[in-house]
Amino acid sequence: MTLRLSRRALLAAGAATLAVPRLDLLGIARAQDTAAPAPLLYRIPVGEIEVTAISDGFLVLEGPVFTGIDAETVSTALSEAFIDPAAPFHAGVTAHLVRSGGRTLLVDTGTSDLFGPTLGRLTAGLAAAGVAPEDVDAVLITHLHPDHIGGLLAGGAPAFPNATLHVAEAERAFWTDPAVASAAPEPMRPMFDRAAASLTAYGERVQPFADGAEVAPGITAMALPGHTPGHTGFRLSSGDAGMLIFGDAVNSAAVQFSHPEAAFVFDIDPALAVATRARLLDMLAADRLRIAGTHMPFPAVGHVARRGEAYAWVPEDWRYQ
Ligand SMILES: [Zn+2]
C-alpha cells in the first residue's frame, strides 16, 4: 500500500468514523454497578491442538456501521436474522487461547478497559481456563485495532510478561509510520498511539512475520488485507484437522455472509476488504474449512456454506463436554 493510498483510505475511514455519532473509539465510559458475569469459555479441539474461545464481552456501536451498501439491504438482512435493524449494532469480541506442542498461545487480547463495561473480560476468562498471564508464551495479533490489542498492556507494561508478540510486518509498518499517523483523521489518532505504545512495550519481543510464515508449530499466517493493511488470519493444522482464526475478515455474521460486498466502518481500505472477503469466503466454502472469528456470535466457531451467489454462516453444533 502506498502512502498516497493510505492517506486517501484513512480520510475515508475518518469521515465514516465521524458519521458514527456515539461510537467512542477509546471510550472512558464506566459503569459503577455492573456485576461481572461468569467467564464464557468454549473448548474446540483441532486435532492435537486445543483451542479455547474466551469471550471478552461485546461491542455496542451506534449509528450506521456498514458502508458501500444501501441501508434498506442491511435492514432486510438484519431482519431476516431476527435482529432489530433499529437497535444498536452488537458484536461479540472473542479471543482464542491455543495450546499446541506444549506451548500456550493467545490470538488477540480483547479490549481490556478501553471500551467500557460490556467488555474487558478476557483476564477473568484466562484465569478460568487455568492460564496466568505469565504462562502465555506468545501472542499472535490479527491486527492492531484496539479491540484486538487492548489487553496487551496492563498499566502501560506488557500484560503477558513472558510472551513474544507476533504481528504482520505490513501491520507493524503501517501503525508505526509517522507520516501515515500524521495524515490520519483526528478520531483515529488514539489507535496509532495505542498500537505504537503496545509495540514499544514489547520491544525486542516483537516478531514481525510475512504472509505464509509459520508463526508457531502448526500455525501459519494468512494475509487478509483491507480491514487494515496487515490484517491476518491464522491457519491451524494438525493431522487432517484445520481451522482458520481471523479478526475482522467478517465483522457481522448477520450481514456479510449474505452480503460480502458490505464494507465496515473501520475498514482502512473498504474495497480491498470486500475483495479479500469475497476471495476468502469462496475458499472457505470450497475447502469446508472450519473458522473462528473474533466478531462471530459466541462461541464463534462454524463453517461457511455457499448460498447461490453469496454465503451463509453455519454455526457449529454445540459440543457438550
Ligand atoms: Zn475487530
Side-chain angles (χ1 to χ4, degrees), residues 214-259:
E214 185 172 40
V215 293
I219 304 178
T220 54
M222 180 189 294
L224 299 170
H227 182 66
T228 62
H231 179 265
T232 296
F234 296 104
R235 173 80 189 256
L236 280 53
S237 299
S238 174
D240 294 337
M243 170 181 269
L244 178 72
I245 301 177
F246 61 76
D248 282 63
V250 181
N251 317 95
S252 162
V255 173
Q256 289 168 313
F257 288 103
S258 57
H259 294 283

Side-chain angles (χ1 to χ4, degrees), residues 159-197:
F160 304 101
N162 299 316
T164 51
L165 179 62
H166 302 257
V167 60
E169 170 54 24
E171 189 72 0
R172 188 205 62 77
F174 178 81
W175 293 103
T176 56
D177 184 333
V180 175
S182 64
E186 189 59 34
M188 288 187 69
R189 296 284 167 80
M191 291 188 184
F192 284 88
D193 294 343
R194 186 76 186 191

